[in-house]
Amino acid sequence: MTVALVWFRYDLRLNDNPAFIEACSHHQFVIPLYIYDGKNSVSGEAQDWWLHHSLTSLSESLAQLGLNLILRKGDPFEIISDLVKKLSVSSVYWNRCYEPAAISRDKKIKAALLERGIEVQSSNGSLLHEPWTIKNKNGDYFKVFTPYWKHCKQHLNIQPSMYLENRPAGIEVQSEVLKDWKLLPAINWAAQFSEYWTPGEAGAQQKLHEFIEHHLNDYKKNRDFPIKNATSRLSPHLHFGEISPWTILRAIELAKLNPNCDLSSADHFLSELGWREFSVYLLYHFPKLPYENFRSEFDAFPWHNDKELLARWQNGLTGYPIIDAGMRELWATGYMHNRVRMIVASFLTKGLLIDWRLGADWFLDTLVDADLANNSASWQWVAGCGADAAPYFRIFNPVLQSQKFDPDGHYIRHWVSELSHLQSQYIHAPWESADSERIYLTTHYPKPIINHHEARTRALKYYNQLKKK
């Protein structure tokens, strides 16, 4: 009798899951395990909501195979060591994680298991390319996205689908109760989440199908307009590993065979998968990415870090409708449209001069899709201090961005209801209306907390001073 332990992490699915499928292919008994290590988790409360429902879905899928998902809370090293000893486990399987703390943790566990004669098999369950396999002509890692992704595409061998063929038996093991972990909020601020999301592998597959069927062809044209349902919204499913990037890639490549497919849109969408990969790649090669400027000259940047202004930004009370719409969408749904993410991040870092790390922390706590790599890389990109960063002089004008990507104000009206009665010509900048005093008096909507043009001039002064050093 051989017993395998499968340690689920950010791979909460059964199909296209190399660790799970390999374990089932080679062992008579399989023990699926999930460990909640709250102490070392970088996810916030929004992701705890998602995790609860995703684990419920995974448990139900495993039950259909006659397997029970074992839940444990605590230190993975101690939990795995204890289970291996008590259950005579001969092999442990997992899919690799790429966050610095996870790499260190996994090395420690692997070394201890190997010393005890336990086989350990780790697999790539979340990336198209392992980060150490992609190098530039100098043998170093890429620091700019375009040549990185070009190289990746040239060395991309599409992997075949992995499906479960052998069904091993389970072993009766006592599990903790998911609801006892209290991942769901006591005060249900996440009440609307379920209107927008269906966590789990089935929900991910449905999202992919709907996107390809209804939105792929117009993706490039419509992706920047937040009121349009034009993006895939697969990011939280990818973050929790409910769907594999290979599954998405194969589906898009199959769609491209349709003569009616807009190839430009399809390739543009695939480049977003590339940005996700590039973020993990950067984190792997620069582990300090979440807390240290990639470009060290930014260490001298004079952040103001006004706590009151930060709170106004977090609560969607800045007086700039597109900013407030985005921040309120985030709070209500655990999500924000990507174009709006760039606008609100630019406003925080270059308008309010608040450290990008404070914005990144807020996103980690409130986004259902925020992972350490993508979140850190994206915030550094907007702030101008990251790899392949936006130029320091690119400071989004929130009014112009609003007029361009929400021209009729539908997105603003949806999330900033107190302005829903305004005409489109004034909804982007209520202060420009001849009737502005009455608007502010009757709606109780706040006046702008900064003057954008003055803030832009101030930010450029600081950025130019960095250039001279």
Side-chain angles (χ1 to χ4, degrees), residues 8-131:
F8 284 88
R9 292 103 72 83
Y10 289 109
D11 52 356
L12 304 181
R13 66 183 186 275
L14 301 187
N15 293 315
D16 251 352
N17 185 326
F20 176 69
I21 292 173
E22 283 293 313
C24 292
S25 299
H26 295 99
H27 298 274
Q28 297 167 283
F29 296 89
V30 167
I31 305 167
L33 169 69
Y34 184 86
I35 301 171
Y36 182 66
D37 181 13
K39 181 178 66 174
N40 294 316
S41 174
V42 297
S43 63
E45 292 187 36
Q47 290 191 13
D48 282 347
W49 174 91
W50 190 289
L51 177 62
H52 176 95
H53 293 290
S54 189
L55 288 174
T56 299
S57 176
L58 178 64
S59 180
E60 292 170 352
S61 297
L62 286 165
Q64 293 177 7
L65 301 176
L67 299 174
N68 294 321
L69 178 61
I70 309 307
L71 301 176
R72 289 284 191 275
K73 186 176 184 179
D75 177 36
F77 181 86
E78 295 177 0
I79 291 169
I80 291 175
S81 297
D82 181 63
L83 289 174
V84 164
K85 180 180 180 180
K86 288 182 177 178
L87 302 174
S88 301
V89 171
S90 59
S91 302
V92 177
Y93 292 77
W94 65 64
N95 292 312
R96 286 186 280 276
C97 295
Y98 302 91
E99 296 167 350
I103 292 174
S104 176
R105 173 200 65 196
D106 292 353
K107 286 182 176 178
K108 175 184 175 183
I109 294 173
K110 183 175 182 178
L113 291 173
L114 291 175
E115 189 175 338
R116 293 170 57 178
I118 308 299
E119 178 192 14
V120 179
Q121 182 170 323
S122 62
S123 303
N124 173 11
S126 60
L127 296 174
L128 302 177
H129 291 98
E130 297 280 25

Side-chain angles (χ1 to χ4, degrees), residues 58-326:
L58 178 64
S59 180
E60 292 170 352
S61 297
L62 286 165
Q64 293 177 7
L65 301 176
L67 299 174
N68 294 321
L69 178 61
I70 309 307
L71 301 176
R72 289 284 191 275
K73 186 176 184 179
D75 177 36
F77 181 86
E78 295 177 0
I79 291 169
I80 291 175
S81 297
D82 181 63
L83 289 174
V84 164
K85 180 180 180 180
K86 288 182 177 178
L87 302 174
S88 301
V89 171
S90 59
S91 302
V92 177
Y93 292 77
W94 65 64
N95 292 312
R96 286 186 280 276
C97 295
Y98 302 91
E99 296 167 350
I103 292 174
S104 176
R105 173 200 65 196
D106 292 353
K107 286 182 176 178
K108 175 184 175 183
I109 294 173
K110 183 175 182 178
L113 291 173
L114 291 175
E115 189 175 338
R116 293 170 57 178
I118 308 299
E119 178 192 14
V120 179
Q121 182 170 323
S122 62
S123 303
N124 173 11
S126 60
L127 296 174
L128 302 177
H129 291 98
E130 297 280 25
W132 53 84
T133 65
I134 303 299
K135 297 179 180 179
N136 60 26
K137 293 180 180 179
N138 297 324
D140 197 2
Y141 70 98
F142 287 95
K143 299 175 179 66
V144 178
F145 171 72
T146 300
Y148 163 83
W149 185 233
K150 181 179 179 181
H151 182 91
C152 287
K153 290 190 293 184
Q154 291 173 344
H155 295 82
L156 188 62
N157 297 313
I158 297 181
Q159 301 293 322
S161 300
M162 296 182 69
Y163 296 105
L164 187 65
E165 296 179 355
N166 181 48
R167 292 193 177 187
I171 293 178
E172 286 295 325
V173 183
Q174 186 175 4
S175 173
E176 295 179 17
V177 179
L178 181 58
K179 68 177 182 179
D180 291 344
W181 289 359
K182 298 181 179 180
L183 299 177
L184 299 178
I187 300 175
N188 195 11
W189 47 260
Q192 293 187 55
F193 280 23
S194 58
E195 298 177 18
Y196 297 91
W197 306 108
T198 306
E201 186 171 4
Q205 294 288 347
Q206 181 63 26
K207 270 281 193 292
L208 176 61
H209 172 77
E210 290 175 355
F211 173 69
I212 292 175
E213 189 72 18
H214 301 293
H215 307 296
L216 177 61
N217 266 5
D218 296 321
Y219 176 76
K220 188 174 182 179
K221 179 177 66 175
N222 293 334
R223 64 185 294 269
D224 279 318
F225 295 87
I227 197 61
K228 296 184 178 182
N229 184 22
T231 59
S232 72
R233 301 212 169 195
L234 283 167
S235 51
H237 297 288
L238 271 167
H239 171 67
F240 283 92
E242 298 167 348
I243 193 167
S244 160
W246 286 109
T247 299
I248 297 173
L249 177 66
R250 286 190 294 265
I252 299 299
E253 292 297 334
L254 183 62
K256 287 166 67 175
L257 298 178
N258 186 325
N260 296 320
C261 180
D262 186 302
L263 299 181
S264 179
S265 274
D267 287 337
H268 204 81
F269 174 73
L270 289 178
S271 73
E272 295 301 319
L273 273 184
W275 273 104
R276 173 181 177 270
E277 299 260 327
F278 186 54
S279 298
V280 177
Y281 179 82
L282 289 176
L283 179 62
Y284 179 82
H285 290 286
F286 185 68
K288 298 178 181 179
L289 189 69
Y291 56 87
E292 188 172 297
N293 295 312
F294 188 84
R295 295 170 59 187
S296 59
E297 63 266 30
F298 276 79
D299 293 347
F301 193 87
W303 300 112
H304 288 195
N305 293 341
D306 186 302
K307 292 182 179 179
E308 182 180 347
L309 293 181
L310 175 62
R312 294 281 292 272
W313 176 83
Q314 290 171 335
N315 291 298
L317 295 172
T318 68
Y320 282 87
I322 191 67
I323 303 294
D324 297 337

Side-chain angles (χ1 to χ4, degrees), residues 395-409:
I395 301 175
F396 286 116
N397 182 319
V399 175
L400 295 181
Q401 289 285 310
S402 182
Q403 292 170 338
K404 183 175 182 180
F405 297 111
D406 188 30
D408 297 317

